[in-house]
Amino acid sequence: MMKFRFRRQGTDPQREKIKQELFAFNKTVEHGFPHQPSALAFDPRLQLMAIGTKSGAIKIYGAPGVEFTGLHKDTTAVTQMHFLPGQGRLLSLLDDNTIHLWELVAGPPRELGGVKKEGVVSLNEVGSYSLPGRPGIESCSATRVTVLLLLKSCDLLCIGTEGGGVYFLELPRLLLKDNLTLPQDQITQSLPDDYRCGKSLGPVESLQEHPQQSGKILIGYSRGLVVLWDLNARHADQLFLGKQQLESLVWERSGSLFVSSHNDGGYSVWSVTSGNACNPQPVSSTIPYGPFPCKAINKILWRTTQAGSPVLLYSGGMPRASYGDRHCLTIQQDKDHVTLDFTSRVIDFFTVHSVEQEKGEDLLSPGFSLVCRLENPSFSASPPQSSMTPPPWWCYWKRSWLLLISRRPGGPPCPLRTSLLFTPRPSPAPVTSPQSWPICGGKNLAPPPKQQELLLTGHEDGTVRFWDASGVALTPLYKLSTANVFHTDCDPCDDPQDPGNDPDMQQEEEWPPFRKVGCFDPYSDDPRLGIQKISLCKYSNKLLVAGTAGQVIVLGLNDERSDHSVDVSVVDLLQDREGFTWKGHDRLEPRLKPAPFPPGFQPQVLVQCLPPASVTAVALHAEWNLIAFGTSHGFALFHEYQHFFYYVIHQHPVAFCFLRCTLHPNDSLAMEGPLSRVKSLKKSLRQSFRRIRKSRVSGKKRTITTPTSKVQEANAALAEQEEVAPVQRRIEPRSADDSLSGVVRCLCFADTFLRDGTHHGPTLWAGTNSGSVYAYALEVPGVGSGRACERGGASESSTCVEAVLGKEIQLMHRAPVVSISVLDGRGKPLPDPYEASQDLAIAPDMTNAHSVLIASEEQLKVFSLPKVSAKTKFKLTAHEGCRVRKVALVVFSSAVQEDYSEHTLVCLTNLGDMHLFNIPGLRPQVRYDCIRKEDISGIASCVFTKNGQGFYLISPSEYERFSLSAKVLTEPLCSVQLDRPLEFTLPLKTPDQASRGSHSALHGNHSVCPTPPALAGSAGCCGDRPGFHLTVMSNFPRRRWKEFFIFTFDASEQAVSHMTHFFLYNTQSTHVTF
């Protein structure tokens, strides 16, 4: 009989099968903008653009939904990238002097989301090469790569080195062609004696292929020498003896001229003639912003137009003394001259234009675009009279707070999303651009989304942005600004201003002709405007926004413009508490006069909390017209239609149903607020001495052992439990006077049983940082339930909302309460407001007893209602040694059975792993490793959807989208037309890719359709109208935002027709939830 005593319960095969049909962890797609970009490339045939980052990541973008991602083995910066046009191949040069070849290759069939997908492809690394050099001497290595040139034949790669030599690699095999190697000594022997002077030519700075004669390349050395080299004859056709340090070269389309840019801020035009073997002087030399010393022109482009003069584009060249801190890109065409003034360093730029494949010529049509890659966002536009077209697949995050609103599959269309689609969108530029985004390669094959999802982001400048998150690409829908409700010095509009209306710009346009591009003040001048919490009711179009300075704004959706004043109410959460002095920031001053509000969400009521601390929790119940909000000092309940009945406390108009102060007398940090930099040194010393005294006293007590019968019984009971229960960690209780113990962590409305088991009614639940839970029974006018119906007759108090404290729960170890959820008689979460009354969800079970699920940082616990007795619990900290950070109730649908689903509790811990529990039994189901435990910002920013998906921050500008559901997946599925067969190639598996599990495929579920060479390049066209675009990329060294620009030029009018600007703010989320 003893052999059955310690037998563990075995696993149920049927249950394990159900788990496989419900749960599956996959990292699907990355939303946002690449962090710390360092390189840029463009494929003119496939219309694909690649961005390399300092962390070794490569991202390829095309049309909306066409995305590929690759990751190098080492986290080394990508310095250069080059596409093999039309082949789906990409060359990358890393900072460690290695060259890597990437391909879009087809893999074996995979089963994703319960569906078997054929022809799945991904971006894989298929080869690498490193030039041999002197080991251990990297700084002076002669074979360190400085520049790459891919010939038009795509079978040879020219490599310029720091030692002045030029090497050649055969593609795609990456084999070194020793017979073509060109050492610097061979060039030095051809130089005149007066130019040689015993000096080295320096590193190779630029390589350019002749546009008309294949096999001839320009080799530019740092000293200023330019050589026209014939690969076939292996001799120098012509020498150009420049005397200024060289930066870059570019050919004119006919091949009779080329332009060189130099470090003195000037550029020179050289003539290529067959009869002159040595050319000592250029045709012309110009320093456009001289005569004073200027910065170097890093890159220059010469573009010939079909009608009109050529266009010259170059970055840098500004006068050092006056504008040395400017990041500029200049565009010249005859007398037209414009200097684009960016907010960050220009990394690279290129043009997108029509390509005549028969002649192999690049011509500027009557319209062309400029695409700029900045160090912090990118942009697409067309100077000088440019308008902006936002890219369809990039979003930006600027101190964001996230909220996701989903529509159930098969349900009616979301009225809020429909209203937003017809709401006039804020124009991102003064002029509307008729041209679409030029990077439009590939084809999105993903089916229409089964669920409509709205993503709301709150930003530190007081704006709330609405995005369509139904697919892979986030599409902007609407932007709301709350700054116009207050009197502030900052401008709520973060879009570029019209140059004609800016007096400062009018003064600057004399010389140089600056034109500001991008957002020159990405951060709000007043940090009190920052959005901390958002709550939205998608059925009543009610929006609740809370900010950093204690402001809570109730907004409603209106299709028409309105001029009105906002009702203001002030709530003093301290309730005349003595001995408390607020040392933080002041509250925002509201506008008392009527203000104009555009169509969309318009503010109706402003509630100001005193002290003006940051709002930490909000709850909205639109069906009861109730809102609740909490700070570090307490929480309050507000009725939307009761705010007109004011009374005065301390000469402030107050409108609220009730409030409660949760401030602890010893909580000094609550006096300073989140924006205060004052740190209490005395409090830190006091707490240290208290710990020392407490440890000494406890040590003395442990030396005296006086066992009693009760202690022995307790020890015996623990010994018996250890035989059947796993070993649990000991949890030390937290002190009652810990800092910020009164912070309200969560708020929840629920229609449940609180006073007795017979009558149910509205309730409000609040959880604090000290492990306290408060439950209030509410009497709401018009809600006929509970004891209010038994009173009969109308009284004066029945027109107001009343709140009575029904229950108060104190958790044993005073662990912070993370989440509170009420479960119905079937153990299911209660539906959202209006869902049950409008038959949009199954009505909750009101016949059986309800229960409440309270999740703290240490354990999950279910209490029965109304007695509040413990039913079941799971000590996560004691069992797993981790703490709860995020909790969500998710509905998981089976990938096999259409009508089967389960409600599951998803828990994210401080170790970055996901724990899934069934409810209300709290039995563990599965566990997944999602986020690295060192990634604190990613864990803090993680959010969940109701259908099993989630987001977390992987960089200051990127969110990783993942799925815990075996059925619901949002992933890229696209096709790209190539001129090569898609043979299966085994990818180079890296340790990081192997550790990422399902994500090792590098976000690649892409179907690639091979086509004959005749059809190559037909995919991804930008439209019937010929276009010429220029892309510029820029970055900020220590600022948290990015920009991307695309300019579209109109060569027939010798002007720029429109400009596309997109800026991306890089900043971590203060709080994130769905």
Side-chain angles (χ1 to χ4, degrees):
M1 295 178 61
M2 296 297 295
K3 62 181 180 181
F4 299 103
R5 181 176 178 180
F6 300 101
R7 174 176 294 181
R8 295 184 179 180
Q9 185 177 2
T11 58
D12 185 5
Q14 185 65 24
R15 180 59 190 171
E16 294 299 322
K17 181 180 178 181
I18 295 177
K19 289 181 182 180
Q20 295 178 1
E21 297 174 355
L22 292 175
F23 313 120
F25 178 72
N26 292 283
K27 294 182 180 180
T28 55
V29 68
E30 296 176 359
H31 295 294
F33 197 84
H35 181 52
Q36 293 182 335
S38 57
L40 183 67
F42 177 69
D43 190 331
R45 294 186 182 180
L46 300 181
Q47 294 292 324
L48 297 176
M49 180 175 63
I51 297 177
T53 67
K54 292 183 179 180
S55 61
I58 293 179
K59 297 190 176 181
I60 300 179
Y61 297 96
V66 179
E67 297 182 11
F68 299 91
T69 303
L71 189 64
H72 289 91
K73 180 179 179 180
D74 299 325
T75 57
T76 309
V78 181
T79 58
Q80 296 183 43
M81 292 190 303
H82 297 273
F83 271 106
L84 277 66
Q87 298 185 19
R89 292 189 174 102
L90 178 69
L91 287 168
S92 62
L93 172 65
L94 301 187
D95 195 37
D96 60 358
N97 208 43
T98 58
I99 301 173
H100 301 259
L101 178 63
W102 298 79
E103 286 186 355
L104 292 176
V105 295
R110 293 179 54 193
E111 186 174 352
L112 296 174
V115 179
K116 189 175 182 180
K117 297 183 179 180
E118 300 286 345
V120 176
V121 297
S122 59
L123 179 64
N124 295 334
E125 182 182 349
V126 296
S128 63
Y129 180 81
S130 178
L131 285 176
R134 298 172 61 186
I137 312 180
E138 296 182 0
S139 59
C140 57
S141 175
T143 57
R144 183 170 182 83
V145 180
T146 57
V147 63
L148 298 178
L149 170 64
L150 178 67
L151 299 185
K152 291 182 179 180
S153 58
C154 296
D155 58 354
L156 203 61
L157 178 67
C158 307
I159 304 175
T161 61
E162 189 174 337
V166 181
Y167 300 84
F168 298 89
L169 279 183
E170 180 184 350
L171 297 178
R173 296 190 297 171
L174 297 179
L175 296 178
L176 182 64
K177 307 283 288 187
D178 293 328
N179 58 333
L180 297 180
T181 301
L182 176 62
Q184 189 179 101
D185 297 339
Q186 187 173 351
I187 299 296
T188 307
Q189 296 175 0
S190 305
L191 297 177
D193 295 337
D194 57 345
Y195 189 84
R196 190 180 312 174
C197 298
K199 295 181 180 180
S200 173
L201 299 179
V204 178
E205 293 291 342
S206 181
L207 295 171
Q208 296 293 329
E209 185 181 9
H210 198 289
Q212 302 296 335
Q213 301 178 21
S214 61
K216 291 186 178 183
I217 59 174
L218 275 179
I219 305 175
Y221 295 92
S222 177
R223 182 180 166 184
L225 174 67
V226 180
V227 179
L228 179 60
W229 182 257
D230 191 339
L231 289 176
N232 300 323
R234 292 192 52 79
H235 70 84
D237 286 355
Q238 194 169 356
L239 300 176
F240 304 90
L241 307 179
K243 299 180 181 180
Q244 191 63 38
Q245 182 175 335
L246 183 69
E247 294 291 334
S248 67
L249 297 171
V250 64
W251 278 103
E252 188 264 341
R253 180 177 62 89
S254 64
S256 59
L257 299 173
F258 72 88
V259 183
S260 63
S261 65
H262 305 276
N263 71 333
D264 62 345
Y267 63 88
S268 302
V269 180
W270 301 81
S271 176
V272 179
T273 58
S274 58
N276 190 3
C278 186
N279 191 346
Q281 295 294 333
V283 176
S284 63
S285 184
T286 306
I287 301 179
Y289 300 110
F292 301 103
C294 299
K295 298 179 67 176
I297 295 180
N298 302 317
K299 181 178 180 179
I300 190 168
L301 292 181
W302 178 299
R303 292 293 180 258
T304 305
T305 59
Q306 292 179 348
S309 302
V311 178
L312 199 64
L313 310 99
Y314 53 88
S315 61
M318 290 293 105
R320 291 184 179 274
S322 303
Y323 307 105
D325 57 342
R326 300 288 185 98
H327 309 285
C328 299
L329 189 147
T330 302
I331 304 172
Q332 295 180 217
Q333 187 179 24
D334 283 343
K335 297 182 179 180
D336 293 334
H337 188 125
V338 62
T339 304
L340 303 178
D341 187 7
F342 297 102
T343 55
S344 60
R345 182 173 60 92
V346 178
I347 294 179
D348 198 0
F349 62 94
F350 64 87
T351 57
V352 183
H353 50 85
S354 61
V355 178
E356 295 186 3
Q357 299 188 13
E358 294 182 0
K359 299 180 181 180
E361 301 174 347
D362 294 345
L363 296 175
L364 290 197
S365 342
F368 70 95
S369 290
L370 164 73
V371 180
C372 306
R373 180 67 184 90
L374 312 177
E375 195 175 38
N376 276 358
S378 302
F379 95 99
S380 164
S382 4
Q385 296 87 18
S386 57
S387 62
M388 300 184 181
T389 303
W393 28 249
W394 280 337
C395 62
Y396 65 89
W397 319 98
K398 177 187 175 185
R399 186 64 63 182
S400 59
W401 191 98
L402 298 187
L403 175 73
L404 187 73
I405 303 298
S406 303
R407 180 184 67 86
R408 300 177 184 271
C414 179
L416 175 61
R417 184 180 185 276
T418 305
S419 302
L420 291 176
L421 290 176
F422 293 97
T423 301
R425 302 183 185 180
S427 176
V431 184
T432 304
S433 170
Q435 185 162 336
S436 59
W437 180 258
I439 312 299
C440 51
K443 183 179 180 181
N444 185 15
L445 300 181
K450 299 180 180 180
Q451 246 184 343
Q452 296 177 358
E453 295 178 337
L454 288 177
L455 180 67
L456 278 67
T457 59
H459 305 268
E460 68 173 6
D461 59 350
T463 59
V464 179
R465 298 174 186 263
F466 292 72
W467 309 81
D468 185 358
S470 305
V472 174
L474 295 183
T475 304
L477 297 177
Y478 171 70
K479 186 185 76 171
L480 165 69
S481 176
T482 61
N484 52 0
V485 182
F486 308 97
H487 289 286
T488 59
D489 297 332
C490 63
D491 188 359
C493 180
D494 60 355
D495 294 325
Q497 301 294 326
D498 188 359
N501 299 331
D502 192 348
D504 297 335
M505 186 172 293
Q506 291 178 359
Q507 296 177 1
E508 292 179 349
E509 281 184 347
E510 296 179 357
W511 190 260
F514 286 118
R515 177 178 177 186
K516 292 184 178 180
V517 179
C519 178
F520 274 74
D521 188 13
Y523 298 100
S524 172
D525 292 336
D526 197 338
R528 297 175 298 173
L529 291 170
I531 304 300
Q532 294 295 325
K533 297 292 177 181
I534 303 174
S535 182
L536 175 66
C537 179
K538 58 184 177 182
Y539 302 107
S540 62
N541 296 338
K542 293 291 183 181
L543 177 64
L544 180 63
V545 176
T548 306
Q551 70 271 24
V552 181
I553 307 176
V554 183
L555 304 100
L557 189 62
N558 189 3
D559 297 336
E560 298 179 357
R561 175 188 174 92
S562 175
D563 296 338
H564 65 273
S565 59
V566 181
D567 298 323
V568 182
S569 300
V570 180
V571 177
D572 188 0
L573 294 176
L574 294 182
Q575 295 178 314
D576 300 334
R577 176 162 296 191
E578 298 179 356
F580 182 90
T581 303
W582 173 251
K583 302 178 183 179
H585 52 275
D586 296 331
R587 66 168 183 167
L588 291 167
E589 181 183 356
R591 297 180 184 268
L592 302 180
K593 296 182 180 180
F597 297 100
F601 280 98
Q602 299 175 354
Q604 298 174 348
V605 181
L606 168 63
V607 182
Q608 179 63 55
C609 300
L610 292 180
S614 178
V615 178
T616 57
V618 295
L620 169 65
H621 201 294
E623 196 170 2
W624 299 340
N625 298 312
L626 292 177
I627 64 172
F629 48 88
T631 66
S632 57
H633 306 105
F635 58 93
L637 179 68
F638 188 85
H639 192 268
E640 186 178 351
Y641 297 114
Q642 194 177 322
H643 68 275
F644 298 106
F645 301 94
Y646 299 118
Y647 60 93
V648 175
I649 294 181
H650 296 298
Q651 299 179 356
H652 292 293
V654 182
F656 57 91
C657 303
F658 88 98
L659 59 86
R660 176 166 185 138
C661 181
T662 59
L663 182 66
H664 194 275
N666 297 332
D667 193 355
S668 61
L669 290 181
M671 304 179 187
E672 300 171 358
L675 299 181
S676 175
R677 297 183 179 180
V678 180
K679 296 183 178 180
S680 178
L681 180 59
K682 294 182 179 179
K683 182 176 179 61
S684 301
L685 295 175
R686 190 184 306 117
Q687 289 179 348
S688 300
F689 284 118
R690 284 178 181 176
R691 294 191 188 99
I692 295 174
R693 280 199 304 267
K694 195 176 296 183
S695 62
R696 289 176 180 175
V697 173
S698 60
K700 294 179 180 179
K701 289 182 179 180
R702 283 193 295 268
T703 58
I704 304 175
T705 58
T706 56
T708 60
S709 60
K710 293 185 178 180
V711 175
Q712 292 176 355
E713 292 175 1
N715 291 336
L718 288 174
E720 292 178 0
Q721 292 179 3
E722 289 178 356
E723 294 182 0
V724 295
V727 178
Q728 298 183 6
R729 294 168 177 84
R730 182 180 177 182
I731 307 300
E732 293 291 340
R734 308 189 184 194
S735 176
D737 58 349
D738 283 346
S739 300
L740 299 177
S741 60
V743 175
V744 179
R745 294 287 297 269
C746 56
L747 293 166
C748 172
F749 285 108
D751 185 3
T752 186
F753 303 90
L754 186 61
R755 292 175 172 174
D756 53 52
T758 307
H759 304 90
H760 64 89
T763 60
L764 172 65
W765 299 75
T768 67
N769 216 34
S770 60
S772 300
V773 178
Y774 305 96
Y776 285 84
L778 308 178
E779 293 185 2
V780 183
V783 181
S785 61
R787 297 176 183 263
C789 299
E790 299 178 357
R791 294 182 179 180
S795 62
E796 184 179 354
S797 62
S798 63
T799 60
C800 301
V801 176
E802 297 181 1
V804 179
L805 180 62
K807 306 292 179 182
E808 183 174 350
I809 307 172
Q810 179 61 58
L811 301 182
M812 181 180 301
H813 294 153
R814 297 182 179 274
V817 180
V818 179
S819 173
I820 300 176
S821 302
V822 177
L823 308 178
D824 64 0
R826 295 187 295 265
K828 309 297 183 183
L830 298 180
D832 293 335
Y834 287 109
E835 285 189 346
S837 60
Q838 298 183 7
D839 296 331
L840 299 175
I842 301 176
D845 184 7
M846 293 297 182
T847 58
N848 299 319
H850 287 195
S851 57
V852 58
L853 171 61
I854 300 177
S856 69
E857 286 190 357
E858 296 178 356
Q859 66 178 353
L860 311 172
K861 203 167 187 178
V862 177
F863 297 88
S864 62
L865 293 177
K867 295 183 179 181
V868 193
S869 58
K871 294 177 61 178
T872 182
K873 63 181 177 181
F874 186 86
K875 299 180 180 180
L876 193 63
T877 302
H879 286 281
E880 305 293 339
C882 54
R883 295 186 181 274
V884 179
R885 288 293 179 258
K886 301 286 182 178
V887 171
L889 292 175
V890 178
V891 180
F892 287 93
S893 300
S894 174
V896 178
Q897 306 177 30
E898 293 292 337
D899 56 347
Y900 183 79
S901 62
E902 288 186 5
H903 287 79
T904 306
L905 177 69
V906 179
C907 172
L908 173 66
T909 69
N910 63 330
L911 301 181
D913 50 1
M914 300 281 184
H915 295 262
L916 277 65
F917 303 88
N918 70 336
I919 55 174
L922 297 182
R923 288 188 295 271
Q925 301 298 307
V926 291
R927 174 187 171 275
Y928 299 112
D929 294 329
C930 181
I931 311 173
R932 295 182 298 107
K933 62 180 180 180
E934 297 83 7
D935 190 1
I936 300 177
S937 61
I939 296 174
S941 61
C942 185
V943 292
F944 301 97
T945 67
K946 290 185 177 181
N947 57 7
Q949 297 188 84
F951 292 80
Y952 70 90
L953 200 65
I954 57 176
S955 73
S957 61
E958 296 171 287
Y959 272 97
E960 179 78 66
R961 189 167 189 164
F962 63 91
S963 176
L964 300 171
S965 174
K967 182 178 181 180
V968 180
L969 286 174
T970 302
E971 56 184 354
L973 181 63
C974 54
S975 66
V976 179
Q977 294 178 339
L978 306 178
D979 55 1
R980 65 172 178 86
L982 279 176
E983 69 280 357
F984 171 67
T985 306
L986 289 176
L988 296 179
K989 204 78 167 185
T990 65
D992 184 72
Q993 296 172 8
S995 63
R996 298 174 72 174
S998 302
H999 201 44
S1000 62
L1002 304 175
H1003 305 296
N1005 293 327
H1006 314 271
S1007 299
V1008 179
C1009 304
T1011 55
L1015 300 179
S1018 61
C1021 59
C1022 297
D1024 297 334
R1025 189 171 67 91
F1028 177 44
H1029 309 270
L1030 176 65
T1031 305
V1032 179
M1033 178 172 60
S1034 173
N1035 200 359
F1036 288 92
R1038 288 186 295 270
R1039 302 184 67 181
R1040 296 179 176 178
W1041 61 293
K1042 298 184 181 298
E1043 277 186 309
F1044 199 95
F1045 298 86
I1046 291 186
F1047 294 91
T1048 302
F1049 295 82
D1050 193 345
S1052 60
E1053 300 177 0
Q1054 298 186 1
V1056 182
S1057 60
H1058 66 277
M1059 178 178 66
T1060 301
H1061 172 215
F1062 180 73
F1063 48 90
L1064 170 73
Y1065 297 90
N1066 294 354
T1067 177
Q1068 299 177 0
S1069 301
T1070 55
H1071 189 82
V1072 186
T1073 188
F1074 281 106

